[in-house]
Structure formats: C-alpha cells, structure tokens
Amino acid sequence: MASKFWTFLNSQIFLLVVGFLLTGMVGHYLTTKYQDASWERDRKYEVFKQEIEEAKKTLEEVNLHISDRTYSLQKVHWKLESRDLDGAVVEYGKYIDIKDNWNKKIRIYRNKLKRLVDHDLAFLLLDSENSVNVPKKESVHAYFADAHTKTRSWLKCLKSNCDDISKKEKMAYDSLKELFQTTDYFIDESYSIFLRKYKHLHESPSNSALTNGSSATANASP
C-alpha cells in the first residue's frame, strides 16, 4: 500500500495535479490583487472627480458673488455721480441685500477654499479673525468693507447736502477702484491656483482635500 502511495506521488499525474492546483492558487491571488488595485484606482479617481467638481463649484459661486456685489456697488456710484438721490437710495437698498447675503456666506466660502483649493487664497478672501483690527487692507472682504463704508458716507453726505461732497465722492471712487483691482486679481489668481491643483491631482489623485477642514457659518462684518 505504501509503495503504491509513493509511486503515485512520483507519478506525472500527481505532478500535473499539483501543478494545476498551484497555478490556480497563484492565478487567483494575482487576479485578486489586480482587481483590488483596479478598485482602489477607480475609487481614487472618483474621489478626485468629486473633489474637482466641488472646488470648481465653490470657485464659481464665490467669484459670481464677488461680481454681483461689485456691480451692485457700482450702480450705487452711478446714481450718486448723476446726483440722482432717489435712484441711489433704491440701488443702495438692493446692494445691502447682496452685502448681507455675502456676510452670511463669507466664512463658509473661506473654509471651503481652504479645504478644497488653497490656504493662502482662502485668507486672501477673508482675513483671519486675529487681523480684523489691522489698518492695512489685505483681503477682498476688507476692501469690500472699505468701499462700503465710503460709499455710505458719500450717500449720507449727499442726503444732507454736506460741505465736503467732492471729498466724499473722491474717497468713495478711490475705494471702489481699489476694490475692482483687488477682486480682479483674486478671481484671476483663484482660477490659476485651481488649474495648478487640478494638474497636480490629475498626476496623483488623493482624497486628502476632502477629509481636512470644516465649514463655519458665523456672520462677518460689513
């Protein structure tokens, strides 16, 4: 019995069976590894696409809101320049609605940009709370606040027919000009950074940007 067993172990049939089993096991292992790797690549690519779409949507929303607010403030200036006080009051009321909506969303915008696009770009939109009282204007929001304050001062001066209307007008005009320069730069820079990040993620997609940071909903000042 033992000799037959050893004879079977040394036979070509046994070696063929063993070879077949080993080939099947190795093939199954390699197939599983390949499928796992393919699934991981597909998963990362899907996360990559979602990240890009969310970042793009956020940028478009932020920049559209910037354009809406600057244009609305510009319309107030046009009415003030023509000394159309009633028209200026109407346009200013519309502008205030846009400004209030901006203030509700500004920190959400900043945190989304920080998480999805770029840290420095986020704080170019809105200063950190520690720099609120710093005289030097640096963020888009700070330039908006300055233009808002000086336009309101011009409107009040026109209402009361104050003596320094020309001075108020020039201050408001200069602040709006600075605002346009700042927002133009921000919009251009935001898309440049987005495209650079897109290229980087396309070369090495990851979900790191989707797992870091959070959004806040507190209101900002004018």
Side-chain angles (χ1 to χ4, degrees):
M1 186 71 178
S3 62
K4 289 182 179 181
F5 176 73
W6 286 110
T7 300
F8 173 72
L9 291 182
N10 291 320
S11 67
Q12 291 184 350
I13 295 177
F14 176 74
L15 294 177
L16 183 63
V17 170
V18 171
F20 178 78
L21 291 175
L22 289 175
T23 300
M25 292 172 63
V26 172
H28 176 72
Y29 173 78
L30 293 176
T31 300
T32 301
K33 290 290 289 183
Y34 176 78
Q35 289 175 341
D36 290 345
S38 296
W39 179 86
E40 182 65 15
R41 284 195 302 271
D42 291 343
R43 184 189 68 82
K44 285 185 176 182
Y45 184 67
E46 287 303 316
V47 170
F48 158 70
K49 289 198 298 183
Q50 292 172 11
E51 179 178 326
I52 289 297
E53 285 303 314
E54 188 176 358
K56 182 181 178 182
K57 181 180 178 181
T58 299
L59 275 183
E60 289 176 345
E61 184 176 349
V62 171
N63 291 335
L64 180 60
H65 209 150
I66 286 174
S67 296
D68 284 345
R69 186 172 176 183
T70 52
Y71 180 60
S72 182
L73 195 60
Q74 174 73 82
K75 289 196 290 185
V76 177
H77 276 237
W78 287 335
K79 294 297 183 181
L80 290 172
E81 288 167 1
S82 64
R83 300 300 187 260
D84 180 0
L85 183 57
D86 291 338
V89 170
V90 171
E91 292 299 336
Y92 186 76
K94 295 176 182 178
Y95 160 76
I96 288 298
D97 290 340
I98 295 174
K99 185 267 297 182
D100 288 345
N101 190 33
W102 168 273
N103 288 339
K104 290 176 183 178
K105 296 182 177 181
I106 183 65
R107 286 191 173 88
I108 297 175
Y109 286 155
R110 182 184 66 186
N111 291 336
K112 280 190 174 183
L113 290 179
K114 182 169 64 173
R115 179 169 59 91
L116 294 167
V117 183
D118 181 76
H119 179 277
D120 291 338
L121 181 70
F123 286 93
L124 181 60
L125 178 69
L126 174 64
D127 297 322
S128 65
E129 284 69 18
N130 294 331
S131 65
V132 167
N133 296 318
V134 176
K136 181 180 179 181
K137 301 188 299 293
E138 294 182 350
S139 69
V140 167
H141 184 71
Y143 278 92
F144 265 128
D146 184 65
H148 166 84
T149 300
K150 289 174 180 174
T151 301
R152 181 179 60 191
S153 178
W154 182 18
L155 176 60
K156 287 182 177 180
C157 184
L158 192 61
K159 280 182 176 180
S160 62
N161 196 26
C162 68
D163 295 332
D164 55 350
I165 291 179
S166 296
K167 180 181 177 182
K168 299 289 186 182
E169 180 175 356
K170 185 177 186 309
M171 291 174 64
Y173 172 81
D174 289 344
S175 67
L176 186 64
K177 181 179 179 181
E178 289 181 340
L179 175 63
F180 275 121
Q181 291 171 344
T182 302
T183 53
D184 284 347
Y185 171 79
F186 177 87
I187 292 172
D188 288 344
E189 186 68 7
S190 68
Y191 285 114
S192 294
I193 291 173
F194 170 77
L195 291 174
R196 290 198 298 269
K197 184 180 178 69
Y198 175 87
K199 181 180 179 181
H200 169 71
L201 288 174
H202 191 272
E203 294 170 350
S204 180
S206 71
N207 63 347
S208 58
L210 291 178
T211 57
N212 295 325
S214 59
S215 295
T217 56
N219 289 346
S221 59

